[in-house]
Amino acid sequence: MTIDGLLYIALVFTLVLGAAFPLGHYLAAIFEGRVQFLRKAESAFYRFSGIDPAREMRWQNYAATLILLSFIHFLLLYAILRLQFFLPLNPQHIAGMSPRLAFNTAASFTTNTNWQAYVPEAQISNGAQVFGLTVHMFISAAAGIACAAAVMRAFCAGGLTSLGNFYVDLTRVTFYLLIPVSLIAAILLVAAGVPQSFGPFITAHTINAGLQTIAIGPVALQEAIKEFGTNGGGFFNANSAHPFENPNALTNLFENWLDLVIGFALPIAFGIMLRDKPQGRALMAAMAIILATACIGTYAAEQAGNPLHIAAGVSAHDGNYEGKEVRFGIPASATFNVSATGTSTGAVDSFTDSYTPLGGAIPLFLMQIGEVTPGGVGSGFYTIIIFALLAVFVAGLMVGRTPEYLGKKIQSREIKLAMLGVLVLTLFILGGAGFSLVTKSGLASLANAGPHGLSEMLYAWSSATENNGSAMAGLSADTPLLDYGLGAAMLFGRFAFMIPVLAIAGGLAAKPKLASSAGSFPTTGPLFIGLLIGVIIILGGLQFLPADTLGPLAEHYLLAAGKTF
Amino acid sequence: MTTTNAETITLLDGDILRRASLDAIAKLNPITLMRNPVIFVTEIIALLVTIVGAQDLTNANGAAFPLTIAAWLWLTVLFATFAEAVAEGRGRARAESLKRARSDVSAKLLADPEHPEKFTEIAATDLKMGDIVLVSAGDLVPSDGEIITGVASVNESAITGESAPVMRESGGDRSAVTGGTMVVSDWLIVRITADAGATFLDRMIALVEGAERRKTPNEIALNILLAGLTLVFLLAVVTLVGFGQYSGAKLSIPVLAALLVCLIPTTIGGLLSAIGIAGMDRLVRFNVVATSGRAVEAAGDVDALLLDKTGTITFGNRMASGFYPTYGVAARDLAEASAIASLGDDTPEGRSILAFARDKFNLSPEMPANAQIIGFTANTRMSGLDFAGLSFRKGAVESVLKTLAAPPDAAVHEIVARISRAGSTPLGVTANGRLLGVIELKDIVKPGIKARFADLRGMGIRTVMVTGDNRVTAAAIAAEAGVDEYIAEATPQNKLDYIRKMQAEGRLVAMCGDGTNDAPALAQADVGVAMQTGTQAAREAGNMVDLDSDPTKLIEIVEIGKQLLITRGALTTFSIANDISKYFAILPAIFLPTYPALGALNIMQLRSPESAILSAVIFNALIIVVLVPLALRGVKFRAIGAAALLRRNLLVYGVGGIIAPFIGIKAIDILLGIFHIFS
């Protein structure tokens, strides 16, 4: 590792955390209805859509509305993908997707996963990219943030019957946060050389008289929301390693920042809504400590290099450059990929498949622990709240009171629902990967044998279930097993977790908010932060350790012994 | 603290252990064990491994390892059931002593309470609610009831362990009698208020035995967490078969079983119900009976304690604390006159004046010959002593002033006003009709109580003093005792209102009371401790009964509640933290044949895969037994505030829980090596 590399990581964190505080204030103002500069457009939109913004929703309504909207959008996207050949803005005359690929892709973009089993340049039209995928990048991100806002409200007072209005939350988040920031970010990206065009691909005459097709399209806007809404679905197959998505080191830093900033701002917004800022800062600190450790860990593993390369005469000083863009270098690549797996973005500017086993194990583990560092927009927040509830439940008794978090008693109902969520995630990750590895069809998808193949499959199921969307590129994902299986994993990982979370929020909202005293369990300060990190790793991650041992850990020790796959 | 009802039962009594060993085996019945998901799963796994071992044995297929694993898995289950049986056994031993009070009793049933001489003798078990019985001196009270007529002294030692008889009379707050207690003198006519089998004594026996034990809300939630973790780890181990098959690892059932049992939280699963039973038992040892475990948990959560001033905060009787002479009188003369006037006064106040005069001026006057004691009457409100033509009096200031020959100087009124303002009572003292001065009688705050309240404040608990005194007096005593708040001129209604107000602010309130008029407040409070000497209505309304009728115990009850919760949390944290080391023991061991390079993860340097797995399983079983005493005794509660308490317990049980098994597993591995077992 070099000082420059560590300074780069420090720079990313400084920029992100520095911006998270003001953004957190702004988010709280959006959730509390205090931001109103687009009031006219907002109310016109409500009138046009027949939404009654004053209607308060119980958790059941809130969840049902969210699911229904997601379902309709899922069907719409499925239809667009199947019928894209007949739809406008398809200059390359790309054919409609197969049913299973369309199912997988629709599930992927409805759940904010952006797992891409298709090759964008060849299998999706510009029109479908913009009106199918980019639209969903906004909506799925806004839905996640809305759900987080609902969870925040549950803790703010006692005896609440309502969690807010889903439509209003969705609209306000889209109008006041996602659209304006994405537009500005898109303009900045265009200025840096990212294309934004509806024209056909460019055919270039190369100097040796050949013809080269250069794919272009409305890239900049999709790139902006891809990062800002922790979506991750690249316009191009090469994702953020492609120079048209991510031209230089500066855009790389900017995209990395966009990717992380909402996730870290949400706990700050929570503290403001609670009128108890240290509570939000404690959650943010836990997220940041895990992510920073992960960034440094991956950077160290990559910088240490591949022992076989070194044995073959590559300078150890260069580190493992395989699969990385020279315009970014190792520290920026490692930080970008770790950030994108820590946020459920799944964007990549270098290829995890080519990382050293440990360098790849860290992103894998960040997904398995539930995407809380800081996680997907909204989902990272409500997931860490679940972990905070579990942490307080396990250790809270040790202060001699029955457990309570932020004045809300944690009882059987909350634990039942929280464990249900944890079980669903574990079932799809371990069950899916374990099953795929013993079936012929699953094995056929693997590009590599041995532990590396196991890592690829485990990574795919972890990524889908946790709605991350990144992949170890070796895997061929467009097979019936993986299209349907991972599609189901994405849907269950999103909604079978979100519904229990909203149910918990609804139950907690109705409970009285107990006054805190010197006898209450402290949920701020280093002690709680340490406890929360411990619980995230022990309750969220240990169950994956046996499988991880047979994947990246085995590969690491075998690589050290000179064996490759 | 004060009296113990049963003979003290040592932590691990020989008889209890013998009986518990047998009970532990009976508890292996899977149908009853299903209440405990973690241990139930362990039993199923133990059975499975036993079958596999037996098969290997018949196939002459190296059965030593699976059978050893199976044996230790069975021991894990047995240790868990044993822990519960020990806890129950301790309760049962206490119940036995209570049952002795419930020997065959007969009752004198009255057809007409106006004619107590006409009764029919029936068995106490045939009594129904509403029956009216006569209880004469020497009779056992046949069942719980309310006195209709009569006054009698009753020996309640069967219930309270206190052998001094107490007065029971109709009407008022002393009208309840309890089945199994004995009328020592006089007679009572009692209306029966409980059906046979549902009396206070019956319920107490059931509670103490743990027969009616239902899981408390927090226990239910914890059980769900443990069941959820068990399922999560079951998934991890079952899917490992797939990952293993892909990797070319042959994972045998005993090995997977060992991994699963080590990962699921068997330690807390095995000790959870023992902790609950022991918590109830600790209360019983304090002579407090809780009607449900829920009440004990609520006690730990309490934010505010409503404490009666008299008897809890102050000694309950006022004591002399100052002599204030009038102009021209020496303090010593006033003290001497006060002492003489009190020679015939046997009340605590009178004795306190004598003691104060002795301490302050070294005065101890003898009772003169032929002295005539003038007793206190409600009319004169004075008492004193006449001898040799001299007359000494002390009494309420207004009454004393009326008897004076000449009006006193104005300074006296000032002294009286100052004493009243300080919450004390002034007593005028005269010699031969001349006012010598004023004695200050003060409500003495118990020593140490202020520090106790400060501790409670550190734990986040507010103390509220409840008193019938006026505001001025109440404020003065409240300040001296260091309570956070006080309710002066308390009535049942304003107590109830106060509790409701606190609860609306999201606080949990505990109080104790004895009278019927306390019943609504006792029922409203989250923890209501009724005094055993109180009325039946109060005892029904509260969720705990203090057999010693000592209101101070509220503080201990809160501490016992907290201790129960802390013990549960500490062992849960310990159990979950244990998992980390078990991974390092078992994972390298089971994958070593496939990937020898994974031997690098064997950081404990365990000698062989078999020994590593067995050591982890043995540690997992033994830790339950090792922790039984802690589960029964409870983790000590310290009033150091939540943050400090958490830091301490997290360090001991969280970090300790991570480190301890590394040491334990390594030690067992070394021992196995010494005896050349699986090395």
Side-chain angles (χ1 to χ4, degrees):
Chain A
M1 285 194 286
T2 62
I3 292 292
D4 292 0
L6 291 173
L7 279 178
Y8 178 80
I9 295 174
L11 174 69
V12 172
F13 274 85
T14 310
L15 293 176
V16 168
L17 299 183
F21 283 90
L23 184 62
H25 277 267
Y26 182 63
L27 282 173
I30 293 175
F31 300 154
E32 291 177 341
R34 288 183 276 120
V35 181
Q36 297 188 328
F37 62 88
L38 294 172
R39 194 173 39 233
K40 285 204 178 126
E42 202 188 330
S43 45
F45 178 77
Y46 293 144
R47 265 198 309 282
F48 175 74
S49 328
I51 295 168
D52 170 13
R55 185 182 151 220
E56 295 282 306
M57 291 183 177
R58 294 173 167 276
W59 78 262
Q60 293 94 335
N61 300 85
Y62 203 98
T65 325
L66 193 158
I67 305 274
L68 188 67
L69 185 89
S70 303
F71 182 66
I72 292 171
H73 275 278
F74 171 83
L75 291 181
L76 249 160
L77 181 56
Y78 181 82
I80 291 175
L81 295 173
R82 297 276 286 135
L83 303 173
Q84 60 180 343
F85 186 77
F86 305 104
L87 298 175
L89 295 174
N90 187 357
Q92 301 302 118
H93 306 293
I94 291 170
M97 281 191 186
S98 70
R100 62 161 208 256
L101 186 60
F103 165 79
N104 182 282
T105 308
S108 169
F109 282 79
T110 320
T111 56
N112 196 254
T113 309
N114 297 18
W115 170 265
Q116 292 168 293
Y118 59 92
V119 177
E121 292 90 330
Q123 285 176 290
I124 192 157
S125 72
N126 281 350
Q129 291 257 42
V130 174
F131 295 104
L133 305 189
T134 310
V135 165
H136 282 81
M137 288 183 168
F138 281 95
I139 292 171
S140 64
I145 298 174
C147 184
V151 171
M152 290 180 193
R153 290 189 190 109
F155 289 95
C156 288
L160 298 173
T161 52
S162 138
L163 294 178
N165 181 313
F166 172 69
Y167 295 124
V168 172
D169 286 338
L170 189 82
T171 309
R172 294 182 60 82
V173 167
T174 312
F175 276 31
Y176 292 112
L177 179 71
L178 298 180
I179 290 180
V181 177
S182 302
L183 284 178
I184 296 167
I187 292 166
L188 291 175
L189 287 171
V190 168
V194 177
Q196 175 76 18
S197 154
F198 282 104
F201 292 175
I202 293 164
T203 305
H205 298 270
T206 59
I207 33 178
N208 52 357
L211 285 179
Q212 185 190 1
T213 306
I214 297 174
I216 58 160
V219 183
L221 182 61
Q222 182 173 333
E223 191 64 25
I225 188 65
K226 170 188 127 183
E227 306 296 350
F228 195 53
T230 62
N231 289 289
F235 196 92
F236 303 106
N237 197 35
N239 209 302
S240 289
H242 194 294
F244 282 178
E245 283 201 24
N246 190 5
N248 55 47
L250 207 57
T251 57
N252 190 62
L253 177 64
F254 180 53
E255 289 181 12
N256 203 337
W257 179 88
L258 276 176
D259 189 15
L260 292 169
V261 73
I262 296 182
F264 281 112
L266 280 167
I268 297 299
F270 183 47
I272 290 160
M273 285 174 70
L274 282 176
R275 310 283 178 265
D276 190 355
K277 291 181 191 166
Q279 300 290 352
R281 290 201 289 263
L283 297 177
M284 178 186 178
M287 293 170 163
I289 290 169
I290 300 178
L291 186 68
T293 314
C295 284
I296 294 170
T298 298
Y299 168 48
E302 293 311 298
Q303 193 64 56
N306 182 331
L308 298 186
H309 293 176
I310 294 164
V314 176
S315 157
H317 180 258
D318 289 344
N320 176 30
Y321 248 102
E322 185 190 321
K324 294 184 184 64
E325 295 291 307
V326 281
R327 68 183 188 279
F328 303 139
I330 291 178
S333 299
T335 310
F336 190 97
N337 276 21
V338 170
S339 301
T341 41
T343 51
S344 100
T345 306
V348 288
D349 73 352
S350 50
F351 286 87
T352 314
D353 207 31
S354 303
Y355 272 40
T356 60
L358 285 187
I362 290 171
L364 174 64
F365 196 64
L366 285 183
M367 295 192 290
Q368 291 171 337
I369 58 174
E371 288 289 15
V372 290
T373 59
V377 287
S379 63
F381 174 78
Y382 59 68
T383 309
I384 205 167
I385 287 289
I386 297 299
F387 278 117
L389 293 180
L390 288 175
V392 170
F393 184 77
V394 170
L397 286 170
M398 285 197 293
V399 303
R401 287 174 70 97
T402 58
E404 63 200 45
Y405 182 57
L406 304 172
K408 302 281 186 171
K409 283 267 175 240
I410 309 166
Q411 288 156 319
S412 347
R413 184 170 177 275
E414 288 76 34
I415 296 302
K416 206 181 293 172
L417 291 163
M419 289 313 287
L420 181 71
V422 173
L423 260 175
V424 168
L425 300 182
T426 311
L427 176 70
F428 274 94
I429 296 177
L430 289 179
F435 179 76
S436 305
L437 284 171
V438 292
T439 50
K440 227 183 210 156
S441 132
L443 291 173
S445 292
L446 297 179
N448 301 74
H452 194 77
L454 190 145
S455 301
E456 285 174 355
M457 190 57 83
L458 189 56
Y459 195 100
W461 285 89
S462 303
S463 171
T465 309
E466 298 288 357
N467 298 150
N468 181 284
S470 67
M472 284 180 116
L475 193 75
S476 323
D478 184 14
T479 67
L481 173 72
L482 293 185
D483 274 340
Y484 288 121
L486 295 176
M490 292 184 263
L491 292 171
F492 276 89
R494 175 84 163 179
F495 298 111
F497 194 81
M498 209 182 230
I499 296 170
V501 165
L502 283 171
I504 290 174
L508 289 179
K511 289 186 186 186
K513 187 165 168 78
L514 304 176
S516 76
S517 70
S520 308
F521 185 88
T523 50
T524 56
L527 195 64
F528 177 71
I529 295 168
L531 173 72
L532 181 58
I533 293 173
V535 165
I536 290 172
I537 288 170
I538 292 181
L539 290 187
L542 274 196
Q543 65 264 43
F544 302 106
L545 212 61
D548 292 351
T549 309
L550 287 175
L553 283 183
E555 193 187 354
H556 170 75
Y557 289 110
L558 290 169
L559 185 68
K563 199 159 161 28
T564 57
F565 298 93
Chain B
M1 195 148 101
T2 46
T3 56
T4 40
N5 100 29
E7 54 275 39
T8 313
I9 295 167
T10 53
L11 193 60
L12 297 171
D13 179 88
D15 283 341
I16 294 177
L17 290 186
R18 266 187 294 282
R19 170 95 191 259
S21 315
L22 293 176
D23 285 352
I25 294 168
K27 279 172 183 287
L28 292 181
N29 179 354
I31 295 166
T32 51
L33 207 56
M34 229 180 300
R35 271 167 54 97
N36 186 338
V38 183
I39 301 302
F40 177 70
V41 167
T42 312
E43 186 176 40
I44 302 293
I45 299 293
L47 193 65
L48 186 69
V49 179
T50 313
I51 294 169
V52 170
Q55 275 177 348
D56 286 349
L57 201 62
T58 49
N59 302 342
N61 215 357
F65 182 68
L67 286 178
T68 315
I69 294 284
W72 279 100
L73 294 184
W74 281 112
L75 280 176
T76 311
V77 181
L78 262 180
F79 290 158
T81 56
F82 175 75
E84 190 181 83
V86 171
E88 281 177 359
R90 280 152 57 89
R92 200 180 296 114
R94 271 178 234 290
E96 292 301 328
S97 69
L98 289 171
K99 276 183 189 160
R100 281 181 222 126
R102 203 182 51 176
S103 42
D104 297 327
V105 178
S106 66
K108 295 166 177 169
L109 183 67
L110 296 178
D112 179 359
E114 300 298 318
H115 295 95
E117 67 285 355
K118 283 189 223 159
F119 58 80
T120 43
E121 201 131 335
I122 64 163
T125 46
D126 292 338
L127 282 175
K128 289 183 294 295
M129 225 195 283
D131 283 349
I132 295 180
V133 296
L134 170 74
V135 193
S136 319
D139 288 352
L140 284 173
V141 177
S143 184
D144 294 358
E146 194 83 26
I147 301 169
I148 311 176
T149 6
V151 184
S153 54
V154 179
N155 180 338
E156 297 194 332
S157 61
I159 307 272
T160 63
E162 174 63 59
S163 53
V166 293
M167 289 300 286
R168 292 287 176 182
E169 60 188 324
S170 59
D173 290 347
R174 302 261 180 278
S175 64
V177 284
T178 309
T181 58
M182 183 184 276
V183 173
V184 187
S185 70
D186 305 290
W187 52 270
L188 297 170
I189 293 177
V190 174
R191 189 193 309 109
I192 300 302
T193 53
D195 280 324
T199 65
F200 183 69
L201 194 60
D202 291 320
R203 274 187 297 147
M204 234 177 94
I205 291 170
L207 284 166
V208 170
E209 274 189 327
E212 272 183 21
R213 212 180 98 77
R214 258 178 283 155
K215 286 189 187 136
T216 62
N218 176 259
E219 249 180 309
I220 293 171
L222 193 52
N223 248 313
I224 293 171
L225 178 85
L226 299 182
L229 284 178
T230 307
L231 274 176
V232 165
F233 286 121
L234 195 62
L235 266 176
V237 171
V238 168
T239 55
L240 196 57
V241 176
F243 292 109
Q245 189 184 324
Y246 167 84
S247 310
K250 272 184 75 78
L251 301 171
S252 69
I253 288 180
V255 164
L256 290 172
L259 177 64
L260 176 63
V261 171
C262 285
L263 294 184
I264 62 178
T266 47
T267 312
I268 181 64
L271 294 173
L272 188 57
S273 64
I275 295 169
I277 297 169
M280 292 286 267
D281 188 54
R282 270 197 296 281
L283 266 187
V284 173
R285 261 183 290 155
F286 262 103
N287 266 4
V288 175
V289 177
T291 54
S292 69
R294 182 188 288 259
V296 187
E297 270 178 16
D301 282 350
V302 156
D303 298 289
L305 292 183
L306 259 58
L307 298 168
D308 277 326
K309 181 198 81 176
T310 309
T312 309
I313 295 171
T314 64
F315 281 109
N317 35 48
R318 292 164 302 181
M319 294 196 218
S321 66
F323 293 118
Y324 300 93
T326 50
Y327 182 75
V329 178
R332 192 185 163 82
D333 294 342
L334 171 62
E336 187 162 22
S338 306
I340 294 168
S342 305
L343 279 174
D345 182 356
D346 212 25
T347 63
E349 280 126 17
R351 282 194 306 251
S352 83
I353 294 170
L354 283 170
F356 190 63
R358 188 175 54 239
D359 294 348
K360 195 106 195 242
F361 296 102
N362 202 16
L363 290 166
S364 33
E366 292 288 317
M367 175 73 94
N370 304 325
Q372 192 193 351
I373 296 168
I374 310 297
F376 177 90
T377 70
N379 217 357
T380 60
R381 298 173 70 200
M382 284 191 294
S383 64
L385 203 67
D386 284 350
F387 67 95
L390 299 172
S391 153
F392 295 89
R393 292 286 185 280
K394 69 172 200 299
V397 174
E398 299 135 58
S399 310
V400 167
L401 290 181
K402 282 184 208 148
T403 65
L404 296 182
D409 60 295
V412 171
H413 295 288
E414 212 170 280
I415 295 169
V416 169
R418 200 179 63 232
I419 292 173
S420 301
R421 263 203 310 282
S424 302
T425 310
L427 281 187
V429 179
T430 63
N432 303 324
R434 176 178 166 231
L435 185 70
L436 298 183
V438 180
I439 310 174
E440 180 182 10
L441 285 183
K442 199 172 169 186
D443 232 348
I444 300 289
V445 170
K446 289 184 176 176
I449 200 95
K450 193 167 185 171
R452 199 80 183 270
F453 291 158
D455 281 353
L456 286 171
R457 202 168 302 119
M459 288 149 56
I461 298 175
R462 301 169 65 77
T463 44
V464 182
M465 182 181 85
V466 180
T467 172
D469 293 343
N470 63 46
R471 279 182 177 285
V472 176
T473 312
I477 295 170
E480 189 176 346
V483 295
D484 297 294
E485 255 180 88
Y486 62 89
I487 308 176
E489 289 157 4
T491 63
Q493 186 58 42
N494 63 20
K495 259 199 245 185
L496 187 62
D497 292 344
Y498 185 85
I499 293 175
R500 291 208 172 120
K501 193 188 96 205
M502 294 288 272
Q503 286 172 336
E505 288 167 12
R507 295 177 202 276
L508 276 80
V509 184
M511 70 165 285
C512 50
D514 51 4
T516 299
N517 54 18
D518 281 332
L522 278 174
Q524 180 72 36
D526 300 283
V527 177
V529 184
M531 301 291 109
Q532 159 66 11
T533 55
T535 61
Q536 190 65 21
R539 288 188 341 201
E540 293 289 332
N543 44 19
M544 291 191 194
V545 176
D546 177 16
L547 303 176
D548 295 337
S549 302
D550 171 9
T552 329
K553 275 204 207 154
L554 206 47
I555 300 170
E556 273 92 7
I557 291 172
V558 168
E559 291 186 353
I560 288 173
K562 288 197 177 292
Q563 191 182 25
L564 169 72
L565 296 175
I566 292 174
T567 310
R568 202 181 278 159
L571 292 181
T572 306
T573 308
F574 185 84
S575 187
I576 292 174
N578 269 200
D579 274 5
I580 294 177
S581 62
K582 292 172 191 164
Y583 274 110
F584 282 100
I586 298 187
L587 286 185
I590 62 180
F591 297 138
L592 206 61
T594 321
Y595 297 124
L598 282 176
L601 287 177
N602 180 10
I603 54 171
M604 279 178 270
Q605 299 289 315
L606 305 176
R607 290 165 308 109
S608 71
E610 285 87 0
S611 172
I613 294 167
L614 189 59
S615 301
V617 172
I618 292 176
F619 176 84
N620 198 47
L622 289 182
I623 195 71
I624 298 178
V625 181
V626 170
L627 291 175
V628 166
L630 182 68
L632 297 184
R633 204 175 48 232
V635 173
K636 194 168 158 32
F637 171 74
R638 288 158 215 270
I640 49 177
L645 200 59
L646 179 66
R647 183 171 310 117
R648 196 193 143 80
N649 287 336
L650 210 51
L651 190 71
V652 175
Y653 299 98
V655 179
I658 293 174
I659 298 168
F662 278 104
I663 300 167
I665 291 172
K666 178 70 187 168
I668 295 170
D669 179 70
I670 292 171
L671 270 179
L672 290 178
I674 293 172
F675 297 105
H676 300 289
I677 303 168
F678 297 117
S679 46

